[in-house]
Amino acid sequence: EPEVTQTPSHQVTQMGQEVILRCVPISNHLYFYWYRQILGQKVEFLVSFYNNEISEKSEIFDDQFSVERPDGSNFTLKIRSTKLEDSAMYFCASGQGVGTQYFGPGTRLLVL
Amino acid sequence: DAKTTQPPSMDCAEGRAANLPCNHSTISGNEYVYWYRQIHSQGPQYIIHGLKNNETNEMASLIITEDRKSSTLILPHATLRDTAVYYCIVSRISSGSARQLTFGSGTQLTVLP
């Protein structure tokens, strides 16, 4: 069964550094999402992407964040200058049509 | 999207049916009810969704009341691997727009041996 994959599974970085989190959505899906979950807290929506542009974004998704679909298979989340509070699990999700989303296993980001 | 209310925790004996309730009294006519679960810190896993009819798949059944103000997710024969946080989410499907899912605190289901 096709799955969303994410790399790396863990990332440790220094505050102020740039990180790129990578996702390979399910191949025939058209809708792409990033969510994050700070330890012990709820899953929070960051951004959604459709037709090569951002569809929705939350207040968390400020100018430090960007998303890109550089080719036909990858979907990336870049954090330009990481802060301590960016430490979280980041989940990528994709969907074939409107509605159901399929999530990847996540990238655990630790900012020191 | 309409807000949902779920009990914070429930226990279920292994092999028995787990019935997880959800209230969504402000649901609109074009909003679907989705159920996801999250096992430990893994990515949320889609379970099932419905609009107004009851739905069943290989994982679970979804019972939506006639007035659509509440629903129940049924895991017919719970196993230890079903221990997870279960989220009931109401979301409007919008063609051509990737709509977010809004996760609440969910229900922590613990399946006991």
Side-chain angles (χ1 to χ4, degrees):
Chain A
E1 187 173 322
E3 293 179 336
V4 175
T5 60
Q6 292 186 242
T7 54
S9 58
H10 293 79
Q11 172 111 34
V12 180
T13 189
Q14 295 291 325
M15 190 169 56
Q17 295 295 304
E18 174 183 285
V19 295
I20 297 176
L21 309 183
R22 291 183 168 79
C23 168
V24 179
I26 295 172
S27 63
N28 61 346
H29 285 185
L30 301 176
Y31 300 81
F32 312 109
Y33 311 82
W34 284 101
Y35 292 80
R36 78 173 186 190
Q37 186 174 33
I38 296 170
L39 188 63
Q41 298 187 23
K42 299 176 185 178
V43 177
E44 301 175 289
F45 168 77
L46 292 177
V47 67
S48 60
F49 195 85
Y50 168 71
N51 201 24
N52 286 320
E53 61 183 19
I54 289 174
S55 190
E56 287 185 327
K57 60 182 181 180
S58 71
E59 290 179 355
I60 303 168
F61 193 87
D62 61 20
D63 292 344
Q64 293 299 311
F65 292 87
S66 62
V67 289
E68 197 176 33
R69 186 152 163 82
D71 52 42
S73 60
N74 290 286
F75 182 51
T76 62
L77 175 70
K78 181 192 292 186
I79 309 175
R80 287 191 184 80
S81 177
T82 50
K83 307 184 187 78
L84 296 176
E85 54 264 36
D86 294 328
S87 295
M89 280 288 283
Y90 287 80
F91 297 110
C92 173
S94 69
Q96 184 174 22
V98 293
T100 304
Q101 297 176 26
Y102 297 89
F103 286 75
T107 293
R108 185 176 296 282
L109 176 65
L110 179 60
V111 182
L112 301 176
Chain B
D1 296 331
K3 188 175 176 178
T4 62
T5 304
Q6 299 178 252
S9 64
M10 291 182 64
D11 292 341
C12 176
E14 188 178 18
R16 303 297 293 270
N19 296 282
L20 293 97
C22 179
N23 283 319
H24 31 79
S25 58
T26 61
I27 192 169
S28 301
N30 61 352
E31 289 181 317
Y32 285 68
V33 179
Y34 288 84
W35 283 84
Y36 285 78
R37 72 181 182 184
Q38 187 176 27
I39 297 171
H40 197 44
S41 292
Q42 297 178 21
Q45 179 188 22
Y46 166 76
I47 301 173
I48 199 167
H49 76 283
L51 184 62
K52 52 184 176 182
N53 297 322
N54 298 337
E55 302 287 345
T56 295
N57 63 19
E58 64 278 3
M59 288 183 69
S61 295
L62 173 60
I63 309 296
I64 302 175
T65 57
E66 194 166 335
D67 63 8
R68 303 210 321 124
K69 293 185 177 182
S70 66
S71 60
T72 301
L73 179 74
I74 301 172
L75 307 179
H77 306 286
T79 71
L80 298 179
R81 290 185 297 178
D82 292 322
T83 292
V85 179
Y86 286 76
Y87 300 100
C88 170
I89 299 169
V90 169
S91 182
R92 177 170 55 86
I93 289 180
S94 176
S95 178
S97 174
R99 285 189 57 80
Q100 60 178 287
L101 296 173
T102 301
F103 288 82
S105 302
T107 296
Q108 171 67 58
L109 174 69
T110 302
V111 180
L112 303 171

